[in-house]
Amino acid sequence: MRRLDAQAAQKISAADEQKLIRAIEVCLITKKPLTELHRSGRAPLQGWRVLKIGLAPDREDLYARIHARTDAMLERGWLAEVRSLLEAGLLANAKPFDFIGYRELRAALQGSSTMDDAIAAIQQSTRRYAKRQLTWFRREPAVHWFAGFGDDTLLQGDALNWLREQGVIPGRGVEATGV
């Protein structure tokens, strides 16, 4: 990557193999440095109006859902899935063990951690991931935020009303713009 684009190489962590591979692919395919491609930008979409909706649930409710989701995944056989990966001979550095939960469950199965510790670590890692996502998306400009989860029917109604106000969805006296 340093030979293809030293500037881009400085911005990509040496440990981020996936990003490095993708950056090298882009440089080789386009025959241009990645930084040049980023600087040149791209033409805006024609005939489309971009509207961004974000969901911002209460943190305690989000954490409760994360914990419940972890429990549900375990009830549906997540531990058995990890056990089968180990029995198939997957190495410790295999891709599945990069994902939240797989490494922790492997440690519990191998006896270097308890199941309770593994579950707590999975939930903590997932909470951290959710926080990073929220931080990332809050920096996104022009997002219309709704407090809650997408399965909340009141929130869905508020979102539909907002889309009607934007002229995207016909109804309630607002004409569709056709965009």
Side-chain angles (χ1 to χ4, degrees):
M1 190 65 218
R2 281 187 206 110
R3 277 188 278 126
L4 293 170
D5 187 345
Q7 209 175 358
Q10 288 178 340
K11 293 180 181 180
I12 302 172
S13 167
D16 196 340
E17 187 177 306
Q18 188 173 356
K19 251 186 204 165
L20 284 170
I21 289 170
R22 182 64 183 140
I24 291 168
E25 288 173 343
V26 169
C27 289
L28 293 174
I29 289 168
T30 63
K31 296 181 178 26
K32 293 180 182 181
L34 195 59
T35 50
E36 182 183 323
L37 289 170
H38 287 167
R39 260 193 307 271
S40 65
R42 63 181 184 205
L45 292 173
Q46 299 296 317
W48 296 90
R49 186 170 134 218
V50 177
L51 297 174
K52 300 175 192 176
I53 292 176
L55 301 176
D58 173 75
R59 187 159 291 181
E60 285 184 29
D61 292 341
L62 176 62
Y63 289 176
R65 285 210 183 188
I66 287 169
H67 293 192
R69 181 175 177 264
T70 302
D71 294 341
M73 290 174 70
L74 287 165
E75 288 169 14
R76 288 189 210 115
W78 194 9
L79 188 62
E81 178 186 348
V82 174
R83 184 179 290 116
S84 70
L85 293 172
L86 291 170
E87 289 170 356
L90 258 66
L91 300 175
N93 64 350
K95 194 67 179 168
F97 298 120
D98 286 345
F99 302 117
I100 294 173
Y102 286 80
R103 184 180 315 114
E104 294 84 353
L105 292 176
R106 180 188 66 210
L109 287 169
Q110 293 175 334
S112 60
S113 171
T114 68
M115 195 60 186
D116 286 342
D117 288 344
I119 291 169
I122 291 166
Q123 292 170 337
Q124 182 179 35
S125 293
T126 307
R127 289 190 308 267
R128 286 180 180 155
Y129 184 68
K131 185 177 180 190
R132 285 193 307 272
Q133 287 179 319
L134 287 169
T135 300
W136 173 269
F137 284 111
R138 283 199 179 107
R139 289 189 301 231
E140 185 72 22
V143 175
H144 189 86
W145 291 96
F146 292 93
F149 294 100
D151 61 355
D152 178 341
T153 55
L154 291 174
L155 183 144
Q156 291 170 7
D158 289 345
L160 284 172
N161 286 334
W162 182 77
L163 289 169
R164 283 185 184 103
E165 290 168 10
Q166 303 307 306
V168 176
I169 298 176
R172 297 201 184 167
V174 178
E175 293 296 315
T177 62
V179 178

